Amino acid sequence: VPGEFAKQYPNVKFHSDQPMPLEFRAPKRIDVVGSFLLGTYLRSETVVDVAMELPMEPFQDKDYVNFRYLNKRAAYTAEVFRQLEAFASCAATTKAEKVGKALLADASVKIASIQGDLYRPCIELRPFGKASGDEARWVVRLLPVAAPDCLPVQKLAPVRNSVRAITSNPDGGDEAWLPTAHYNSSLLED
């Protein structure tokens, strides 16, 4: 991920603007999840949540520390958005591209946040044009999720610290790290 990546996508928030290694690969799995799958949605607008399981290869053992996982997750989401946006806007030339173009022809692609958390983006596909009538009030949300064994669950307990300070204790002693329960639970939620 280049250092100027965050500037290219102002709707995607990163905790750090430092370059990080991230080789893009296709999602490991894609599954429909949530209330639409269960038939329990209540809103007038139908929301279909689609989980994209992130591949394990771009992640390292300690990515749960200091927002590295969230930064890589945001960068992955931005790259999927870039590819979908380019695919939807390019002129189809081959038969396969025409089929894919037809799938996104009447949909807008945008980046949104999950539950208002700007550091956890998702991608929304919404119909417009002929497909946006009253009978088609729906949105598909692509939600990046971690593989079950990507994050060490035992190290993300509410009493553990996963956000370390850059500076050390001026007295030179070991500093008691405060628990980061909210941060840990946001990682486990994925």
Side-chain angles (χ1 to χ4, degrees):
V1 175
E4 65 275 354
F5 193 77
K7 294 175 186 157
Q8 293 177 353
Y9 300 99
N11 294 340
V12 178
K13 302 295 181 202
F14 295 92
H15 287 278
S16 169
D17 59 355
Q18 304 257 331
M20 68 191 103
L22 180 67
E23 179 182 338
F24 182 80
R25 295 182 183 227
K28 190 175 177 182
R29 288 177 47 179
I30 296 178
D31 295 314
V32 176
V33 296
S35 60
F36 181 78
L37 176 68
L38 299 173
T40 58
Y41 56 94
L42 299 174
R43 297 181 186 167
S44 60
E45 179 179 69
T46 302
V47 178
V48 180
D49 290 331
V50 177
M52 299 183 305
E53 186 176 309
L54 303 175
M56 289 285 296
E57 291 83 7
F59 296 99
Q60 299 168 353
D61 293 340
K62 296 256 182 182
D63 276 347
Y64 69 95
V65 177
N66 291 349
F67 305 104
R68 285 185 289 200
Y69 168 76
L70 291 180
N71 285 339
K72 287 184 177 183
R73 180 189 184 283
Y76 189 91
T77 305
E79 179 60 22
V80 171
F81 169 76
R82 185 190 68 76
Q83 290 184 17
L84 286 174
E85 189 177 50
F87 190 66
S89 64
C90 73
T93 56
T94 67
K95 184 176 180 180
E97 287 175 336
K98 287 179 184 176
V99 170
K101 175 83 172 145
L103 293 175
L104 292 175
D106 292 329
S108 67
V109 182
K110 76 172 203 169
I111 293 180
S113 60
I114 297 175
Q115 298 176 347
D117 187 353
L118 298 175
Y119 294 103
R120 295 179 53 222
C122 68
I123 300 168
E124 286 187 353
L125 302 169
R126 291 183 176 271
F128 66 85
K130 292 181 259 178
S132 65
D134 288 337
E135 71 279 354
R137 294 180 55 176
W138 55 271
V139 61
V140 175
R141 294 188 323 159
L142 302 177
L143 308 170
V145 297
D149 52 349
C150 180
L151 299 169
V153 177
Q154 69 278 11
K155 294 186 179 185
L156 294 171
V159 296
R160 302 288 300 257
N161 178 289
S162 298
V163 180
R164 313 284 163 50
I166 296 173
T167 60
S168 61
N169 189 345
D171 297 332
D174 287 337
E175 191 172 324
W177 301 104
L178 296 175
T180 55
H182 180 71
Y183 172 75
N184 296 356
S185 67
S186 72
L187 294 184
L188 290 172
E189 191 176 344
D190 267 5

